[in-house]
Each structure stands twice: as structure tokens, then as C-alpha cells.
Amino acid sequence: MKLITNQTGLKGIIEVPGDKSISHRSIMFGALAEGKTRIHHFLEAEDCLSTIDVFQKLGVKIERLDSEVVVHGVGGFQGLKRPMSDLYVGNSGTTIRLLMGILAGASFDAVLTGDDSIQKRPMNRVSKPLEQMGARIETKDNAGFAPVRLHGGNQLSSIHYEMPVASAQVKSAILFAALQADGETVIHEKEKTRNHTEEMIRLFGGEIHEEGLTVRLSGNQRFTGQEVLVPGDISSAAFFIALGLLVPDSSVCLTNVGLNPTRTGILDVVEAMGGKLTKEASTFSGTIQVETSNLQGMTIEGALIPRLIDELPIIALLATQAEGETIIRDAEELKVKETNRIDAVAKELAKMGADITPTEDGLIIRGKTPLHGAKVTSYGDHRIGMMLQIAALLVKEGEVELEKAEAVAVSYPNFFEVIKSLIG
Ligand code: SPQ
């Protein structure tokens, strides 16, 4: 696909689609609750539709109406039904990993699998703690990858778990299993990761304690159906934040963006880089306004990384246009996303003229490099594809041809149309 290049003066107001992490979890908790759950501003993108599909196969009635999704809860884990076929999650890591926790204590066997990318992402980070809780899980050739077979009929027990990686998906899978176990589970995180599962447990009437890096949860809780209002996804907003900052003479306003503090690392980075960004927050969401800015390179590391892990590809693009050097470290998790995002970002931006070096746990980017036309690929990774379209807007000469552009539908189906709507 030929990308849009060479733009100036992009202005507009955008409401980004619903948060992907919250949309997945609202289906999951809605399914496990008693009664109806109504979800507003649900993300109608491939990943979240995979979650709907899987829960329908598990016997949950889910209706997709014009402005909402309605989930008819089955009233607990034991209300889920044996699926008639393998459960296919497409490209969605969140779906497969959280589902492993949800089905860890089921009375039936289930096989979970997904596309080529899913079959290359590590599942043993989830199966290991679940096995310690009493689950029986087989991964393909015992190598820790999907397809994953969960054996039914196991009584789960609570666990005290020290997380070896900073991962909300691992934490969430353990929390779902802990809800089926007797006693209290205690998880100690390596760094604080997104807490949407914890927030959902509270929203659906359950009890969970978060204190610093420690999360405590007791089993056998009951949930009641709720009205869920999904805020806009800050990870999708990030692409338009970058567009507003980088494209000359631009200003962009993003409305109803989710501002959970475990996700707002990108805003802290933009401010530290000297970006002109203002934010007006209400309780859960807010409006973000950005204008074209002169940015300064910086070091991004440590506890900040999980708060912006999915935004690192677009932050790398910001760094190519900033004054001085940007160092991203402690981000080895990028290697096990939809693709190896360290390599993908370095290779594709270098093709466009960026001065960027991949490292074991991040990237070193020397700024103020003009970008030029090139033939690039998303590697089938939605976030790489969207980052490359924003990069193309800065290209003054030559064309940018993107392979596997369709990947953006995983989290932002009308992304290219929104870009077009800002032109003129
Ligand atoms: O769901 P998936 O494919 O893992 O999606 C990604 C993304 O870029 O959209 C990661 F590739 O987001 C993850 C995120 O990186 C979503 C997520 C969640 O909803 O719990 C948590 C993060 O992953 P992890 O492995 O750090 O827990």
C-alpha cells in the first residue's frame, strides 16, 4: 500500500477507538458475572472480536448491537461450556494468555491457538505459574508455544508468586486462576504493569488489594453484570500525539482518552522531551491537545517502560526528529510482541534514513535525521504499520510503500481514513 507522505498543517479533533485491554477484559468479566453486562465504546477491532468469538464458543451469549455489546453472564467459571472446536485467538496475545488463566480450573479440556505470530510468542511465562497452582498444561512440543492444551478437572490452589517479567498478561492470568482457588494469592510484580484486571474486579463487585508492587486476591468471589464505559485507547492516541508533534504547523485534539496512570508513560516522555502537550482530565479519561514542537532526546528506562511498552515504536520515531540522542533500555519485552519490535523499528526506520541502533534491551537513536521514501513492512504488526504511516507523513521526497498494511485492523480498523480526514 502507498502511504500518505509530505504533509504540513494537519489539524483536527479525533476520538480514538475504545481501549483494547479494557475491551477484552469487559467481555471476560461480563461472561463470568451474573446477569447482563452492557459495554459502550467497545473496540470493534480484530483482537477484541477474537475474544468475543472465543467466549461465544465457550457458551456465552454475546450480542453486538449498534452502539453497545451485551454480554449475558454465565454466573461463574463453572458456567462456561466445553467448546466444540479449538479456540482460535487470531493475533491476540491478551486473549490467549488471559484465557489460559480463565480455563485453568475448567472441568473440560480446551486447545488454544492463534496465527503465526501467536505461535511464536512465549506461553510458558503463563503456564509455569498456573501449573504451580495445579493446572495441567501442554505446550507445542513442550517448548512453551501455542497450540496450548489445557487439561480439565483440576482443583487450583492459591500461590505466592514473584514475577520474573513485568507483564500484565501474566499477572492477569494468575489473577483469573486465583479467583478459582481457595485461599489468598499474592503476586509481587517486578515493575508495576497496567492494572485493568484489578480495576475490573472492583467494578464487577469483587475485592482485590494493590499496594505498591504487591497484589492480593482471595478466591471464590462472585461478580455482577455492569454497565462498562470503555475510554479511548491511549496506545492508539499515541500515533496522533506523534503526528501533532512532528508534522510542521499541526495541532491535534484527542478526546475521551483513557488516563489510567499505569498507561500514561507516553505523556510523561512527551513532556520531558519538551513537547507542547496539554491535558484536561476527568476521573478516568481526558482531552489531550498537542502542537508541533521542537523535541529533545532523553533516556527512557526502568519503571517507566511498562507504562509505555506499546508506545515505544512511535516514541522511537519521535526520537529520530529530536535534538540529540535518545536511549531506550530495559525494554527486552519488545522482542516478544507481535514481532520483535526492537529489530522491526530499527530496520524499517533505518530504511527511511533514521540513525538508529538496536541493542539487547532497546534502541539508541540519534535525532534530527530527515526521512526519505522507502519500501517498508509492518511484519504483520499493527503498531509498526501505524508508526510507519506517521513516519511517511514527514517524508518530503520519494514514496513510501508499506507491505502488510492490513495489520492495523488488529487495533485500529479505520486508522488510514482518520489520517486522510486530517488532510485539507
Ligand atoms: O494482546 P497483545 O497482542 O499482546 O497486544 C499488545 C499490543 O501492542 O497491542 C502487545 F503486543 O499489548 C499488550 C501489552 O504489551 C496488551 C496487554 C494487556 O492487555 O494486558 C499487556 C501488555 O503485554 P504484557 O506482555 O506486557 O503483559
Side-chain angles (χ1 to χ4, degrees):
M1 175 181 165
K2 207 171 117 187
L3 297 181
I4 303 165
T5 54
N6 194 15
Q7 291 298 313
T8 56
L10 299 184
K11 298 195 166 73
I13 301 174
I14 301 163
E15 185 177 11
V16 291
D19 187 282
K20 180 157 80 69
S21 296
I22 298 175
S23 294
H24 283 304
R25 287 159 172 86
S26 58
I27 297 290
M28 293 170 180
F29 281 96
L32 295 170
E34 249 162 69
K36 263 189 217 172
T37 287
R38 291 183 183 281
I39 309 167
H40 306 275
H41 202 42
F42 178 81
L43 174 62
E44 295 265 346
E46 282 173 9
D47 266 14
C48 298
L49 297 180
S50 292
T51 293
I52 289 189
D53 183 60
V54 157
F55 277 86
Q56 285 172 332
K57 290 204 169 92
L58 288 164
V60 182
K61 185 174 167 203
I62 303 174
E63 296 168 280
R64 283 170 64 195
L65 308 175
D66 277 352
S67 63
E68 62 184 25
V69 173
V70 181
V71 186
H72 298 258
V74 296
F77 291 85
Q78 296 310 322
L80 297 173
K81 300 264 177 340
R82 176 193 299 272
M84 302 302 283
S85 60
D86 291 357
L87 298 171
Y88 182 78
V89 305
N91 190 246
S92 178
T94 307
T95 311
I96 193 165
R97 294 200 175 116
L98 273 55
L99 203 57
M100 286 170 73
I102 290 169
L103 296 181
S107 57
F108 49 81
D109 285 16
V111 175
L112 320 185
T113 193
D115 68 7
D116 288 351
S117 156
I118 278 294
Q119 294 186 36
K120 290 187 193 115
R121 296 177 67 182
M123 296 300 145
N124 48 359
R125 52 177 53 198
V126 178
S127 60
K128 289 230 168 82
L130 295 183
E131 280 167 346
Q132 286 178 36
M133 297 175 82
R136 279 183 305 133
I137 302 174
E138 271 173 61
T139 58
K140 189 178 177 223
D141 302 329
N142 282 326
F145 298 101
V148 173
R149 177 177 287 276
L150 298 165
H151 293 278
N154 305 296
Q155 177 51 50
L156 303 181
S157 32
S158 55
I159 190 179
H160 281 225
Y161 194 66
E162 191 79 32
M163 300 256 307
V165 284
S167 164
Q169 293 176 356
V170 176
K171 173 179 64 175
S172 301
I174 299 171
L175 290 175
F176 276 118
L179 286 167
Q180 303 166 68
D182 289 327
E184 187 187 58
T185 287
V186 182
I187 303 173
H188 190 72
E189 292 201 80
K190 203 174 162 202
E191 298 285 6
K192 182 80 183 165
T193 62
R194 65 190 69 190
N195 66 347
H196 301 304
T197 304
E198 295 89 316
E199 296 277 3
M200 281 275 161
I201 288 174
R202 284 188 277 266
L203 176 69
F204 279 78
E207 206 180 314
I208 183 160
H209 302 281
E210 282 177 82
E211 213 185 304
L213 294 176
T214 305
V215 183
R216 293 171 190 276
L217 174 73
S218 294
N220 298 312
Q221 303 197 27
R222 297 197 78 76
F223 299 121
T224 314
Q226 297 294 324
E227 200 84 22
V228 182
L229 185 52
V230 181
D233 198 326
I234 192 164
S235 298
S236 299
F239 298 100
F240 291 98
I241 291 175
L243 175 151
L245 293 169
L246 296 180
V247 175
D249 192 27
S250 296
S251 95
V252 175
C253 176
L254 297 147
T255 58
N256 182 31
V257 181
L259 293 174
N260 177 316
T262 62
R263 296 282 298 284
T264 50
I266 174 130
L267 305 184
D268 299 347
V269 163
V270 167
E271 276 165 6
M273 289 178 97
K276 289 182 199 155
L277 180 147
T278 51
K279 129 185 129 199
E280 247 175 63
S282 58
T283 325
F284 301 110
S285 63
T287 300
I288 296 170
Q289 177 95 34
V290 282
E291 278 173 47
T292 312
S293 307
N294 291 320
L295 301 176
Q296 199 61 48
M298 67 177 288
T299 297
I300 302 168
E301 61 188 347
L304 187 52
I305 295 292
R307 296 181 55 235
L308 46 65
I309 187 75
D310 295 338
E311 287 66 78
L312 285 170
I314 194 70
I315 288 172
L317 175 66
L318 290 180
T320 67
Q321 304 307 305
E323 194 79 52
E325 193 174 71
T326 293
I327 299 172
I328 298 171
R329 58 167 80 104
D330 303 326
E332 50 279 273
E333 276 296 300
L334 288 178
K335 293 181 185 167
V336 291
K337 299 298 180 186
E338 283 81 330
T339 189
N340 178 334
R341 287 182 177 162
I342 292 181
D343 284 355
V345 167
K347 275 195 194 133
E348 300 316 295
L349 283 178
K351 283 182 194 167
M352 296 178 74
D355 185 350
I356 181 164
T357 311
T359 65
E360 258 315 291
D361 64 348
L363 293 159
I364 301 172
I365 305 143
R366 286 153 294 268
K368 288 281 172 208
T369 47
L371 300 180
H372 55 69
K375 210 172 166 178
V376 290
T377 176
S378 76
Y379 299 85
D381 183 328
H382 51 134
R383 302 209 189 276
I384 302 295
M386 290 188 274
M387 180 275 286
L388 290 168
Q389 169 59 90
I390 304 300
L393 298 173
L394 311 178
V395 167
K396 299 268 173 291
E397 268 169 39
E399 293 193 340
V400 183
E401 183 76 32
L402 176 65
E403 244 177 59
K404 301 192 179 181
E406 67 286 353
V408 307
V410 156
S411 65
Y412 206 148
N414 66 339
F415 174 75
F416 294 112
E417 282 82 72
V418 179
I419 301 269
K420 278 186 203 142
S421 75
L422 294 175
I423 297 170

